[in-house]
Amino acid sequence: MKQFKKLIIYTLCTATLVQISGCKKFLDRKPTDVLLDEQVWSDPKLAVSVLANIYNRLQPTGGLEGGKLSPTDLEEAMWSGGLGANNARNTRVNYPYTDKQLWSYDLIRDINLFLENLNKSAAMQDADRKHLLAEGRFIRAYIYFLLVRSMGGVPLVTNTFQYDGSPDVDALKVPRSTEAGIYDFIAAELDAIKDQLPLTASSKTRANKWTVLALKSQAMLYAASIAKYNNLMTDPIVLPGAEVGIPASRAQEYYQKSLDASKEIIDSKQFVLYNENPDKAQNFYDLFTKKTNNREVIWAQDYTLDGKYHDYTVENIPRSLRENATGAAGVTPSLNLVEAFDYLDGTNGALKIQTPNGSDYIYHTRPEDVFLGKDNRMFGSIITPGSTFRGKRIDIQAGVMEWNTATNQYVMRTSPDLGSVFADGGILVAADGPLPNAANVTNTGFYMRKYVDSRVGSGQSGQGSDIWWIRYRFGGILLNATEAAFELGRTSDALGYVNQVRERAGFPANSLQTLTNDIIRKEFQVEMAFEEQRYWDLKRWRIAHEVYNGNRQAPNTLINALWPYRVVRPSDPTKHNKYVFVKRVAPRFTQPRLFRLGNYYSSVPQNVINANSLIVRNPYH
Amino acid sequence: MKQLIYSIIIFLAIGLSSCEYDNYEPPKSELNGRILFEGKPVGIRQGISVLQLTQPGFETVTPINVNVKQDGTFSSMLFDGDYKLVQVAGNGPWEAASTTIDVSVNGSTSIDVQVRPYFSINNVSFVVENNVVKSSCLLVNNVAGRQLERISLILGKTTIVDDPTKLVPNPTDPLSTKVGTGLNLLQPILLSQNLAVSPLTTTPFLYARIAVKVVGVPELLYSNVFPVKS
C-alpha cells in the first residue's frame, strides 16, 4: 500500500512537472487578435492604420455626423425635426457655457504616443518615418487649433507622461498657455512640417503641403482678428495671465502670416474654384457633392457606402422625399439667411413681398418668381419654394388667402394636413408644408440643399449618404485672403480675391468696387453657410454678443420664416390664383438668441480644474 | 406560498430600514442676501450668473451657483461652515469687480453685496391712463465713460419681466424706447406704451418694467416691476 502511495505521488509530480514545462510554450504564443507595439511601429501600413484611427476621431464641431445640428446655433437655420430633446434648440434662453466645449487630451496623448513610438522604432524606413511624423504633427496642430478656438489658451502638451505611482503629481500638472502662445505653436509646427509632406494634392483626405497652408491661413486669421477686435470691445475679454486675449500689437503680424499662407495656395495653381456646370446654382451644389476631379477641395472628411456613411440626408431631406418612416426636415434654413444673399444686380437681398407703402402684397404668378435674380449660391444651398430636387418640384405652401368681398379682406385658410385640397380644387397646404407646430416638416418655408444627397437611397437610415464633409476648400481660402488683405490695407488685392468667388456664383466680373468689413462678413456668411464657419467668425470678430443680443426686436435674434399662400379671389383675375408671401417669426422658435460674454470662450470642464490646481477658469464663468 | 409572502415582508422590512443609512441630512442654514448700490437693491434679469459660493479646504473646487432673483435678492440653503462668496466679474450690468466676501454660515445668515451699476434708475413711477402705461424715471450715470444705448419700457405676461422674454407689441410704440445718444439725463425720462395693440389686449396679466441697455454690456439694468393687469 505504502509503495502504491509513493507511486501515485511520483506520478503526480512528474505530470505536474511536464505540465509546468509545457506551459512556457503555451503562454509564449503570439496573440492572433492584437498587434504588438513593435509589429505596428515597424510596418508603415500598420502605422498608417493607427493614423487612420486618429483621423477618424478628428470630428469637426460641425460636420455631417455628431455636429450636424450646428447651423441651428445661428440665425441661418432652426430645428424643424422631432419635438423631442432637439426642440430645446428653438427655446433656449442662453447658450450654455459648456457649448462647443472641447478638451481632447485623450486624442493629443494618442498622437504624442504615435510620434514617440515612431521616433523610437528602428525598423521604419527614414522616408516613411519623416512623412508619418509630419502628418501626426499636422493633426496635433489642427487639434490645438480646435482647442484654442473653443477654449482660449490650453495646456500645451507635446510629450506623453508616465505616472510612476508616487503621490506627488505636481510634475504632471501643466498650466494653460497663453492664447497667442498656442497660435504661435501652431504656426511654428506648420512651418516646420510644410515641406516634409507630399506636394501634390492627390489625396483629399490626408495631410499634404496644402492642407498645412490652409490650416495656417485659417488659424492666423483667427489669431489676427482676436488681436484686433477683442481690444476694440468696450470690455476686452482677457485673463491676467493672457490665457485669453491677444495683444493688439500682434494683429498685423498674424494677418500677414495668414495672407502669406493663402497666397502660397493661390499662387501654386493646384486648386481652382469648381466651375464645371454652366448652371451656376447646380454648379454650387455639385461643388459639395461631386468627389471626382473636384479641384476646389483641399481637405475633406470622406465617407463610403462600404460601412462608413452618415445620416445627414436622412435628417434633412424635404418631407415629401423622405425614404424613412420617420425623420426628415431636421435642420431648415431661415429667411434671415435667404435675405442675406444679394440679388445678382448687386441690390440688397431683402425679398419684395409687399408694395413699398405696405398696403398690399406683391402678387407672383409662380412662387419661385419672388426669388428671381437672387445669388445662385442661395439656390445651390437652400431648397426654396418651387425649386427642384431629385428631379421633383418641391411645393411649399402654407394655405390659401381667400378674399372676402363683404369685408374687403383676406381670410387665411389652412389645414393641419399636408397635401390637402381647398374647396376650389387647388392645393391648400402643400405636401412639403409649412406647418406651424408639426414635427418633420419645415417651419421656415425652406429646406436644406447643401450637403443633402440627391442619390435615391441616401435617405434610408440603413444606408445613408457618402457625401464628404469639406474642411477646407479654395473658395474659403480666397475669402481668408480677402479679409487679411483688406485688413492690411491692400484693398485692390482683396477685391481681386472676393470678386473671383462672386463671379463663380454668377455675379458679373468685378462686381464689387469697394470693400467694407460688412461686405466681407456677408460674403463669408453666404458662401460658407452651413459649413461651420459663421459661429466662429462671429466670435473672432467679437460681434456675436451684438448680433445675438437677446432683444427680440433685433434683426437676427429670432428665426424668420417665409410662408407662401395662394390667393383665391375670382373677382380680380390679376390676383386670382397668384401667390403672396408672409414674413413671420417661425412659430416653433420662441426664444431670442442671447450670446453672453461668457460664451466667447467655453467653460473649462470642472473635473479638469479639480484635478489640476494650475488651471484657471475662463472669464465670466 | 406562505413562505413567499414572509420573504417578501422580510425583504421589504430590510429595504425600508436601510433607507435611513442612504440619506443625508438636507442643508438647513439659510443664507440670504441682496445686491445693493447706495442702499438700494439693483434690478437684473432673473437667473444671471453673478455670484458663486465656494467652500475652501475640500478636495474639489466646484462652485455653488447662487441664483439671484430679478429684484436683486438671493437665498441659498447651505450647511453650516465657512464660505467665500465670489462675484463673477463682468457678468452683471455693473463695474467689474472680483471681490470675495468671507461668509460664515451658522444658522440663518444674511449678507449684502455692494456693486456699482453703470446707471441707476431713480424716482421710478408708473401710471396707467387712458389705456396707456406711462413711466417716468431719472437716470444717473455712475461710471464715467459708459454710454447709454437705449432705455425701454418693456412688458411681460408674468411677474418675471426681462428683455429676452418681453412681449413685442405690434405695431411697436415709438414712445416706448429712447436711444441713448443725445439723451438729456438731467430731465426725467418719460416712456409710454399704448395697451390697445396686439398681443397686449389679449393677455390676461401684464407687468411693466424699465430696461436700460449700456453699450457693450449684454446684460441690462432694470427697475422694479409694475403690475399693469393683475
Side-chain angles (χ1 to χ4, degrees):
Chain A
M1 194 60 213
K2 211 178 180 183
Q3 286 233 320
F4 186 62
K5 236 182 196 170
K6 235 180 199 170
L7 189 71
I8 288 179
I9 286 170
Y10 283 139
T11 327
L12 276 176
C13 283
T14 323
T16 320
L17 272 177
V18 169
Q19 268 183 9
I20 285 174
S21 59
C23 278
K24 214 171 195 179
K25 237 181 201 166
F26 172 75
L27 285 175
D28 263 4
R29 280 198 310 187
K30 289 254 153 100
T32 53
D33 52 349
V34 287
L35 290 165
L36 300 173
D37 261 4
E38 65 259 34
Q39 287 174 296
V40 173
W41 303 114
S42 56
D43 183 346
K45 275 197 180 130
L46 287 175
V48 165
S49 52
V50 175
L51 205 58
N53 169 282
I54 291 171
Y55 269 112
N56 189 40
R57 287 155 66 191
L58 264 192
Q59 287 290 336
T61 39
L64 305 172
E65 295 177 86
K68 62 175 170 289
L69 300 190
S70 71
T72 65
D73 290 330
L74 301 160
E75 79 271 35
E76 66 186 18
M78 68 172 280
W79 175 253
S80 291
L83 298 169
N86 284 334
N87 205 47
R89 291 174 164 266
N90 299 332
T91 58
R92 59 183 163 196
V93 180
N94 306 305
Y95 296 95
Y97 286 149
T98 48
D99 217 25
K100 317 276 178 187
Q101 185 186 62
L102 196 64
W103 202 262
S104 34
Y105 280 91
D106 49 344
L107 189 48
I108 298 245
R109 180 182 157 82
D110 284 354
I111 296 169
N112 286 338
L113 262 178
F114 172 82
L115 296 174
E116 284 171 9
N117 281 323
L118 205 58
N119 253 328
K120 275 190 296 197
S121 98
M124 190 74 75
Q125 297 281 318
D126 260 355
D128 287 335
R129 190 207 315 268
K130 208 169 147 191
H131 178 189
L132 289 174
L133 278 176
E135 209 168 348
R137 286 169 72 182
F138 166 74
I139 297 174
R140 190 173 61 185
Y142 182 71
I143 297 167
Y144 271 113
F145 170 64
L146 297 184
L147 286 171
V148 74
R149 194 174 65 160
S150 279
M151 317 296 300
V154 289
L156 185 57
V157 180
T158 54
N159 58 297
T160 58
F161 291 115
Q162 304 300 330
Y163 177 54
D164 58 4
S166 74
D168 181 28
V169 291
D170 280 351
L172 305 180
K173 290 181 178 173
V174 181
R176 293 176 65 179
S177 295
T178 62
E179 190 169 20
I182 297 288
Y183 280 112
D184 291 341
F185 168 78
I186 294 168
E189 284 284 286
L190 296 178
D191 287 343
I193 59 176
K194 187 177 79 176
D195 295 317
Q196 297 172 13
L197 283 164
L199 297 184
T200 58
S202 56
S203 167
K204 299 287 192 190
T205 54
R206 286 184 63 180
N208 53 53
K209 183 179 178 182
W210 314 109
T211 62
V212 170
L213 287 168
L215 173 57
K216 193 172 175 202
S217 154
Q218 188 189 26
M220 293 299 102
L221 189 63
Y222 277 49
S225 359
I226 292 168
K228 179 169 181 191
Y229 291 102
N230 189 48
N231 293 295
L232 294 178
M233 290 179 86
T234 317
D235 301 296
I237 303 170
V238 288
L239 282 174
E243 290 89 354
V244 158
I246 301 177
S249 57
R250 302 205 56 191
Q252 291 287 313
E253 167 201 343
Y254 283 131
Y255 278 125
Q256 188 62 52
K257 281 183 180 170
S258 171
L259 184 58
D260 291 346
S262 305
K263 276 185 76 166
E264 201 172 339
I265 297 176
I266 296 166
D267 295 342
S268 75
K269 307 256 188 294
Q270 291 270 330
F271 301 93
V272 290
L273 290 173
Y274 187 88
N275 217 346
E276 309 286 320
N277 194 328
D279 177 348
K280 298 285 187 193
Q282 183 64 31
N283 180 65
F284 193 69
Y285 171 76
D286 288 348
L287 150 60
F288 300 94
T289 52
K290 293 264 188 294
K291 293 190 200 174
T292 42
N293 293 326
N294 190 329
R295 288 189 60 204
E296 170 148 3
V297 176
I298 299 174
W299 191 27
Q301 181 176 20
D302 205 358
Y303 294 89
T304 162
L305 290 180
D306 300 329
K308 187 171 165 53
Y309 45 79
H310 56 78
D311 64 352
Y312 191 82
T313 303
V314 183
E315 286 283 7
N316 293 333
I317 196 165
R319 168 63 174 251
S320 65
L321 294 177
R322 76 176 180 186
E323 299 166 74
N324 222 22
T326 55
V331 179
T332 48
S334 66
L335 177 63
N336 313 48
L337 177 64
V338 167
E339 293 201 321
F341 287 95
D342 283 340
Y343 286 93
L344 288 174
D345 61 8
T347 51
N348 182 284
L351 296 175
K352 298 172 185 76
I353 56 174
Q354 283 195 336
T355 52
N357 62 6
S359 60
D360 197 3
Y361 298 109
I362 293 180
Y363 297 84
H364 300 275
T365 312
R366 301 172 306 164
E368 54 266 46
D369 291 348
V370 73
F371 305 106
L372 277 180
K374 288 278 275 186
D375 188 335
N376 287 303
R377 288 174 291 186
M378 185 194 83
F379 300 106
S381 311
I382 298 168
I383 296 176
T384 50
S387 54
T388 307
F389 190 69
R390 288 192 180 175
K392 186 180 167 291
R393 187 184 157 87
I394 306 293
D395 281 316
I396 298 171
Q397 182 185 317
V400 161
M401 294 259 197
E402 193 182 18
W403 184 254
N404 185 332
T405 43
T407 60
N408 272 342
Q409 271 184 332
Y410 282 116
V411 183
M412 265 192 204
R413 308 285 187 196
T414 58
S415 157
D417 300 318
L418 294 174
S420 49
V421 174
F422 190 58
D424 69 348
I427 290 177
L428 178 57
V429 174
D432 273 305
L435 288 177
N437 291 305
N440 301 114
V441 54
T442 182
N443 210 238
T444 59
F446 303 102
Y447 284 99
M448 185 76 97
R449 188 192 294 266
K450 201 184 253 191
Y451 282 121
V452 175
D453 202 336
S454 58
R455 183 181 57 82
V456 173
S458 60
Q460 291 172 14
S461 59
Q463 194 185 118
S465 162
D466 64 343
I467 284 181
W468 61 11
W469 170 254
I470 300 173
R471 286 187 163 118
Y472 292 123
R473 61 184 175 94
F474 189 58
I477 297 297
L478 283 173
L479 289 182
N480 288 355
T482 306
E483 186 181 328
F486 178 70
E487 292 284 358
L488 291 167
R490 295 195 224 155
T491 309
S492 63
D493 291 355
L495 280 167
Y497 299 132
V498 72
N499 279 332
Q500 283 180 52
V501 176
R502 287 165 63 91
E503 206 174 328
R504 187 262 302 269
F507 284 91
N510 300 318
S511 56
L512 287 177
Q513 303 292 333
T514 54
L515 274 185
T516 61
N517 265 342
D518 286 344
I519 293 175
I520 295 174
R521 287 170 183 184
K522 198 177 206 180
E523 209 58 41
F524 266 106
Q525 181 187 8
V526 297
E527 171 80 20
M528 312 293 283
F530 317 128
E531 292 181 55
E532 184 64 359
Q533 176 85 19
R534 183 164 171 78
Y535 183 88
W536 307 103
D537 280 348
L538 291 177
K539 264 170 89 152
R540 69 189 172 91
W541 296 323
R542 294 293 193 253
I543 55 171
H545 69 287
E546 288 162 6
V547 176
Y548 307 136
N549 61 6
N551 180 2
R552 47 180 72 230
Q553 286 158 310
N556 283 316
T557 50
L558 292 168
I559 297 288
N560 291 325
L562 184 75
W563 282 24
Y565 290 85
R566 182 168 61 89
V567 174
V568 175
R569 192 172 178 177
S571 57
D572 188 344
T574 60
K575 293 171 180 172
H576 183 55
N577 269 336
K578 299 275 168 75
Y579 292 86
V580 295
F581 293 87
V582 174
K583 177 182 171 176
R584 60 181 295 183
V585 173
R588 281 177 62 184
F589 196 88
T590 56
Q591 275 293 322
R593 297 210 191 281
L594 176 59
F595 191 96
R596 297 168 291 169
L597 294 179
N599 290 117
Y600 276 106
Y601 294 94
S602 306
S603 62
V604 180
Q606 186 62 44
N607 61 347
V608 171
I609 298 175
N610 286 344
N612 181 351
S613 50
L614 299 177
I615 301 279
V616 293
R617 250 176 238 288
N618 270 333
Y620 313 110
H621 295 164
Chain B
M1 191 60 206
K2 236 180 193 170
Q3 220 171 357
L4 185 72
I5 289 170
Y6 281 135
S7 54
I8 287 175
I9 289 172
I10 288 167
F11 274 120
L12 273 178
I14 292 172
L16 287 174
S17 61
S18 59
C19 279
E20 217 167 331
Y21 291 99
D22 296 344
N23 282 340
Y24 293 99
E25 279 283 297
K28 278 186 179 152
S29 303
E30 192 172 320
L31 174 70
N32 291 304
R34 294 179 297 172
I35 295 181
L36 291 183
F37 173 65
E38 291 177 346
K40 280 183 281 183
V42 179
I44 56 166
R45 177 168 75 95
Q46 179 135 341
I48 64 173
S49 158
V50 289
L51 292 176
Q52 286 176 345
L53 280 167
T54 56
Q55 199 170 14
F58 287 89
E59 196 180 337
T60 64
V61 288
T62 314
I64 307 165
N65 266 313
V66 179
N67 201 355
V68 185
K69 290 201 267 188
Q70 65 177 3
D71 59 1
T73 62
F74 55 89
S75 71
S76 298
M77 295 302 274
L78 302 167
F79 295 108
D80 285 346
D82 292 326
Y83 293 85
K84 283 181 189 298
L85 184 66
V86 185
Q87 274 197 49
V88 186
N91 268 354
W94 45 73
E95 213 172 31
S98 41
T99 47
T100 302
I101 305 171
D102 290 318
V103 190
S104 154
V105 177
N106 190 4
S108 189
T109 312
S110 73
I111 187 157
D112 288 339
V113 179
Q114 306 291 339
V115 297
R116 177 175 288 277
Y118 297 126
F119 288 85
S120 347
I121 312 171
N122 294 339
N123 303 353
V124 181
S125 68
F126 293 95
V127 64
V128 184
E129 280 173 0
N130 303 328
N131 214 17
V132 174
V133 56
K134 294 177 179 173
S135 75
S136 165
C137 67
L138 203 56
L139 268 192
V140 180
N141 186 351
N142 301 319
V143 181
R146 289 291 171 166
Q147 302 293 315
L148 182 69
E149 188 174 315
R150 65 180 162 90
I151 175 166
S152 315
L153 177 62
I154 59 170
L155 292 155
K157 53 185 173 183
T158 68
T159 50
I160 295 177
V161 186
D162 55 38
D163 207 45
T165 58
K166 71 184 173 194
L167 294 169
V168 180
N170 185 23
T172 47
D173 195 327
L175 300 174
S176 66
T177 292
K178 285 188 173 154
V179 291
T181 41
L183 197 64
N184 182 3
L185 295 190
L186 299 173
Q187 297 285 324
I189 297 165
L190 304 172
L191 301 167
S192 67
Q193 170 66 50
N194 180 7
L195 296 176
V197 295
S198 93
L200 308 182
T201 47
T202 51
T203 50
F205 303 101
L206 211 53
Y207 297 85
R209 214 178 180 193
I210 299 170
V212 173
K213 172 89 171 72
V214 184
V215 172
V217 182
E219 290 300 340
L220 278 69
L221 280 156
Y222 297 92
S223 72
N224 56 324
V225 176
F226 171 72
V228 180
K229 276 196 270 181
S230 64

